[in-house]
Amino acid sequence: MNYMSRGGRLSTELDAEQEYVSLLYAHLDELRADTDHRLAKTLRETSSNPQAMTQRDAATAHYGEQLAQYGAVENGLCFGRLDFADGTRSYIGRIGLFDEDHDYEPLLLDWRAPASRPFYLATAASPDGVRRRRHIRTSRRKVTGIDDEVLDLGPGEHHVHEGLAGEAALLSALNATRTGRMSDIVETIQAEQDEIIRSGLNGVLVVQGGPGTGKTAVALHRAAYLLYTYREQLSRRGVLIVGPNATFLRYIGQVLPSLGETGVLLQTAGELYPGVVGTRHEPAAAAEIKGRITMVDALRRAVRDRQELPDEPVALVVEREELVLDRDTVADARTRARRTRRPHNEARPAFAEAIVTALAQQEADRLGAEFLDAADLADIRRELAEEETVQDAIDQLWPLLTPQRLLSDLYASEDRLAVAFPDVENRDLLRRDPDLGWTAADAALLDEAAELLGVDDRAERAAAERRRREEQDYAQGVLDILQLEDDADPDILTAYDLIDAGRLAERHDDEDYRTAAERAAADRAWTFGHVIVDEAQELSPMAWRVLMRRCPSRSMTLVGDVAQTGDLSGADSWSDALAPYVEDRWRLAELTVNYRTPAEIMAVAAEVLAELAVDIEPPRSVRQTGAHPWRHEVVELPAAVAALVGDHAEPGTLAVLAPETLVADIGRAVVGEIPDAAVGDQPDLENKIVVLTVRQAKGLEFDSVLLVEPAAVVAESPRGLNDLYVALTRATRQVGVVHTAPLPAALKALTER
């Protein structure tokens, strides 16, 4: 029942809810003030004791995280109420609040708690003990409206209209204008979404859903749910969310904080290698080559190519004496190193040892080996190993490589590319200046190269061991000073009775109080407790390898739609993508309801979907707007598009989606008409008007879309029809098409503007 039509009764109900919501905010303010006081007190504490300082840092981080959570849930703190048949009631909100003065009685249930689940699942057919479900609408701290859904009519209430107020709340959210930032759906989660959100942690869950089905929202709410339900496990290992581009990550950036979670790591596929942000543009064909699984063998050949054999003997002058490295000697040293089966950098010491041993034998023969003992030979080897000319030769024949150097040298050399890609005809697409930045596809290759190269950290480990021993010796000295005299009372405990030198030294080690997300972002070897991938169909085979290394437990949520695959190395089926890693041990969940795209737009998009070679039904739209997609043929595109944008009077955001070859010209024309319009990669999505390519718009939504030259969109890529399908389904209200060339056949249903 919607009380908006019931005057006096509405006022009474609103006042009652306002009183309770005000109580909740007062409780939240008390928690915030108490935490703020604790933080200020902690910051005022001073101590030269290292342990006390680290404890202070830990407490500061904890209180800061709590304050961030309280601030993030300020808007929409309480959004629902459940009235049960037994007369009890529960309020539902973004976090849980409890009355400490009354045995921690729940004042507000966290939406993720099991007791909150009937708010999303109860129906008239299966009320689960719920008599009435109430949606509470607020603006800041003021209750602005309530919508009720009576599920189990009691005596005397049969006259009450059993409407779909829950649907009304949903449609109200769907019809709201977009702001350029994604909002959460915690108030309007539907049953099929809730089942996926609360699915178990273990294993690979694939969420297949067409455009507008809420895939991204489900993925983010699932992250919040898992962190709530498996807090101890996931707080240590962290959760990684991978999105298709930086614009998308900014678009979703506020959702998890609004749900009370601030410790999740969000990255693009181009950021999966620490220290690298792959943003440089490259041709799609080049990215496709880099995404092939054959790149594993190509990089392996590239690494072996750096383990060189000299064409001619190498003369080394050591203390005015000449030593010679011939091809056979180097080949033998290389074979010895390769037989260790260690990565390149970790096998390098074996190569160096073999080279030094061979040179030492030459020197011994020159001096008279029959007169030298083992100690003499060891001295010769040590001296040769320290010789700069010897080290230079080893560096030339078996260099110490970083992943960045390996790839830069590979891309810069036609000869090295020919060795790595003997069967790839268009390998010249990979040639580039080594000073240019990295692309998104390079991140996966850098990670694979790191696996092949390894790290020779013997020097670092030796230095760390020296520091440990020095600290232990110092601690032992402190204990010796504190030791009581020999004639002391034996019943009195001494420092020796309480702690040894090793444990005392460990107490002064610097502890790392960064969050799991912060530590994971800097550590290539980090393994996550759970990984969520949005637009997962876009991942290349090489990107899949990186993610599987990051999550050996295979606890993953993969969200996407193979009908929207635009990347040339992306997935055509989930089975093909996952088979190398989990075979058929993954589960599929499907989202079938389109909440975003109106039926009028979806009817046109369905014609495009029918031409794609995928066995997927278009999602069913829940609403109609009466605004039919239209087409408008023009002679000169940039000026016509700018004029249409200037005349656009619809509320909300407008995205102009153009082919990659036209986006710059279209953008200049639009900015000339609307100076504050945003154009190109990583735009400010809070602008009302943005000009993007279809790839840049992936995962985003706008109130209106103006699609420019769809025939060129289709022609730009072998997956052009997939891109067209994506472009048509970004709008929540209206789609228009501007063109000079004949339209693709799939757009025949468009009406003339």
Side-chain angles (χ1 to χ4, degrees):
M1 181 177 69
N2 190 326
Y3 282 108
M4 296 302 291
S5 62
R6 293 183 174 266
R9 189 174 180 183
L10 167 64
S11 178
T12 301
E13 294 283 347
L14 284 177
D15 289 344
E17 296 300 8
Q18 181 65 66
E19 182 179 354
Y20 194 83
V21 168
S22 296
L23 181 150
L24 293 175
Y25 276 110
H27 193 77
L28 182 68
D29 289 341
E30 290 177 5
L31 291 173
R32 182 185 285 122
D34 180 66
T35 304
D36 197 44
H37 172 74
R38 292 172 184 267
L39 176 60
K41 181 181 178 181
T42 301
L43 291 174
R44 287 195 300 268
E45 294 175 354
T46 58
S47 174
S48 59
N49 185 317
Q51 183 179 4
M53 293 174 64
T54 55
Q55 290 175 343
R56 184 190 67 179
D57 291 342
T60 299
H62 173 68
Y63 295 140
E65 185 176 346
Q66 282 190 321
L67 288 173
Q69 182 189 56
Y70 295 149
V73 300
E74 169 77 21
N75 188 31
L77 174 64
C78 174
F79 56 79
R81 191 182 92 185
L82 290 173
D83 295 349
F84 294 94
D86 62 4
T88 60
R89 67 177 47 165
S90 297
Y91 282 85
I92 315 299
R94 296 178 180 276
I95 60 172
L97 295 177
F98 302 89
D99 187 348
E100 294 87 347
D101 297 330
H102 294 84
D103 296 326
Y104 284 86
E105 178 184 346
L107 301 173
L108 185 68
L109 290 177
D110 192 299
W111 67 275
R112 297 165 289 188
S116 299
R117 201 168 190 192
F119 187 78
Y120 301 108
L121 295 185
T123 64
S126 179
D128 198 17
V130 177
R131 188 175 67 84
R132 178 172 61 183
R133 173 170 49 217
R134 169 169 288 180
H135 290 264
I136 302 173
R137 300 193 303 277
T138 59
S139 177
R140 296 185 183 273
R141 297 189 171 198
K142 181 177 176 58
V143 176
T144 60
I146 51 179
D147 292 296
D148 284 350
E149 184 178 3
V150 179
L151 303 180
D152 187 9
L153 298 178
E157 291 186 313
H158 294 288
H159 64 283
V160 178
H161 173 63
E162 188 176 354
L164 296 174
E167 183 177 344
L170 171 64
L171 292 178
S172 175
L174 295 177
N175 289 325
T177 56
R178 269 45 188 172
T179 64
R181 290 291 183 268
M182 184 179 181
S183 58
D184 63 69
I185 62 167
V186 65
E187 302 173 28
T188 59
I189 293 171
Q190 301 302 296
E192 71 169 3
Q193 297 172 327
D194 186 80
E195 290 288 344
I196 295 171
I197 289 170
R198 297 176 191 264
S199 181
L201 174 67
N202 295 330
V204 176
L205 172 64
V206 175
V207 183
Q208 164 67 40
T213 54
K215 298 185 298 297
T216 297
V218 166
L220 295 173
H221 287 69
R222 175 161 169 74
Y225 169 78
L226 292 177
L227 285 164
Y228 174 87
T229 307
Y230 305 95
R231 176 73 63 186
E232 182 177 354
Q233 180 177 347
L234 294 181
S235 61
R236 295 193 305 269
R237 302 310 312 164
V239 173
L240 169 67
I241 296 180
V242 179
N245 52 58
T247 301
F248 174 84
L249 295 184
R250 292 202 310 277
Y251 174 64
I252 68 171
Q254 294 303 310
V255 174
L256 281 169
S258 74
L259 298 174
E261 298 297 342
T262 57
V264 175
L265 178 61
L266 276 67
Q267 290 187 324
T268 66
E271 297 172 300
L272 291 177
Y273 185 80
V276 168
V277 179
T279 57
R280 185 176 68 84
H281 178 75
E282 68 180 339
E288 188 274 330
I289 294 174
K290 294 179 180 180
R292 298 175 187 173
I293 196 64
T294 54
M295 282 299 301
V296 176
D297 291 331
L299 290 176
R300 188 173 289 113
R301 287 190 290 268
V303 170
R304 292 174 72 88
D305 185 44
R306 304 306 296 269
Q307 301 163 0
E308 300 180 5
L309 297 179
D311 294 327
E312 300 292 337
V314 178
L316 305 178
V317 177
V318 178
E319 294 183 353
R320 291 179 293 184
E321 297 293 335
E322 185 177 277
L323 301 176
V324 177
L325 282 176
D326 58 31
R327 186 179 180 88
D328 290 342
T329 299
V330 176
D332 180 67
R334 185 174 73 172
T335 299
R336 289 169 179 261
R338 287 178 174 177
R339 283 177 178 169
T340 66
R341 298 189 178 278
R342 294 177 178 175
H344 173 88
N345 290 332
E346 295 175 27
R348 185 177 185 269
F351 176 81
E353 181 181 4
I355 291 294
V356 169
T357 297
L359 293 176
Q361 189 61 53
Q362 289 185 35
E363 179 68 4
D365 291 342
R366 185 182 66 81
L367 295 174
E370 64 274 15
F371 302 110
L372 303 176
D373 58 20
D376 295 328
L377 292 174
D379 288 339
I380 294 174
R381 286 195 296 270
R382 184 179 62 255
E383 292 172 0
L384 285 174
E386 295 172 354
E387 282 289 335
E388 184 176 350
T389 54
V390 174
Q391 286 298 322
D392 288 344
I394 293 172
D395 287 340
Q396 177 64 39
L397 299 170
W398 194 295
L400 190 65
L401 295 172
T402 65
Q404 290 91 329
R405 180 183 169 188
L406 176 72
L407 281 191
S408 292
D409 291 351
L410 176 64
Y411 293 155
S413 169
E414 184 176 348
D415 292 339
R416 294 196 189 280
L417 284 172
V419 171
F421 301 92
D423 302 320
V424 178
E425 295 180 358
N426 52 350
R427 58 177 177 258
D428 285 345
L429 289 171
L430 304 181
R431 285 290 302 277
R432 70 167 176 82
D433 188 318
D435 294 330
L436 294 177
W438 301 104
T439 71
D442 287 330
L445 303 189
L446 289 167
D447 198 80
E448 190 70 35
E451 290 289 308
L452 295 171
L453 294 173
V455 178
D456 180 11
D457 60 351
R458 292 178 305 159
E460 290 83 354
R461 285 189 283 110
E465 178 62 20
R466 285 195 300 272
R467 288 193 300 270
R468 188 191 67 79
R469 289 179 179 176
E470 290 170 359
E471 290 167 358
Q472 188 166 328
D473 290 343
Y474 178 80
Q476 185 64 56
V478 171
L479 290 176
D480 292 342
I481 293 173
L482 294 176
Q483 187 178 19
L484 297 175
E485 294 82 357
D486 292 339
D487 58 352
D489 188 340
D491 293 331
I492 298 178
L493 294 176
T494 69
Y496 278 96
D497 298 316
L498 300 175
I499 194 170
D500 61 24
R503 294 183 63 186
L504 180 61
E506 289 174 0
R507 292 170 67 89
H508 295 276
D509 288 344
D510 292 333
E511 296 190 43
D512 190 347
Y513 287 105
R514 293 176 298 170
T515 66
E518 291 169 337
R519 284 178 283 136
D523 185 356
R524 195 193 74 83
W526 188 274
T527 57
F528 290 90
H530 193 76
V531 170
I532 295 175
V533 186
D534 204 339
E535 303 291 348
Q537 76 279 356
E538 301 296 340
L539 292 181
S540 70
M542 292 302 295
W544 281 114
R545 285 177 64 86
V546 179
L547 286 178
M548 293 299 171
R549 281 195 286 269
R550 297 291 190 274
C551 192
S553 68
R554 305 296 190 258
S555 177
M556 310 177 83
T557 302
L558 311 174
V559 178
D561 178 14
V562 291
Q564 297 186 59
T565 304
D567 197 292
L568 296 185
S569 57
D572 291 315
S573 77
W574 298 115
S575 295
D576 291 346
L578 296 175
Y581 309 103
V582 295
E583 297 180 344
D584 60 352
R585 299 186 303 276
W586 54 277
R587 58 193 193 277
L588 175 68
E590 295 188 76
L591 293 169
T592 60
V593 180
N594 190 328
Y595 302 100
R596 175 179 66 217
T597 314
E600 295 87 348
I601 298 175
M602 203 61 216
V604 177
E607 295 296 324
V608 178
L609 180 62
E611 294 194 15
L612 294 171
V614 292
D615 184 21
I616 294 176
E617 291 292 325
R620 174 178 55 85
S621 297
V622 300
R623 64 194 179 106
Q624 297 179 339
T625 62
H628 292 274
W630 51 265
R631 57 183 169 83
H632 183 48
E633 186 172 2
V634 300
V635 175
E636 202 278 322
L637 272 175
V641 171
L644 287 168
V645 172
D647 293 340
H648 183 75
E650 295 294 323
T653 56
L654 167 66
V656 179
L657 304 184
E660 188 173 323
T661 54
L662 298 177
V663 71
D665 291 340
I666 298 296
R668 281 191 292 269
V670 169
V671 171
E673 183 73 23
I674 309 292
D676 62 348
V679 180
D681 192 28
Q682 300 190 25
D684 184 352
L685 291 176
E686 293 184 357
N687 285 24
K688 292 297 184 182
I689 298 172
V690 295
V691 182
L692 304 168
T693 67
V694 177
R695 299 293 179 85
Q696 291 165 348
K698 179 152 289 194
L700 309 180
E701 63 181 18
F702 309 90
D703 292 288
S704 301
V705 165
L706 187 61
L707 175 58
V708 179
E709 205 68 286
V713 170
V714 174
E716 276 188 337
S717 167
R719 296 189 185 270
L721 281 174
N722 302 70
D723 293 337
L724 181 59
Y725 183 61
V726 171
L728 290 170
T729 54
R730 298 305 92 199
T732 66
R733 294 171 181 259
Q734 186 181 82
V735 167
V737 173
V738 186
H739 63 105
T740 60
L743 293 174
L747 299 184
K748 60 185 177 182
L750 293 176
T751 59
E752 183 64 39
R753 180 173 184 268

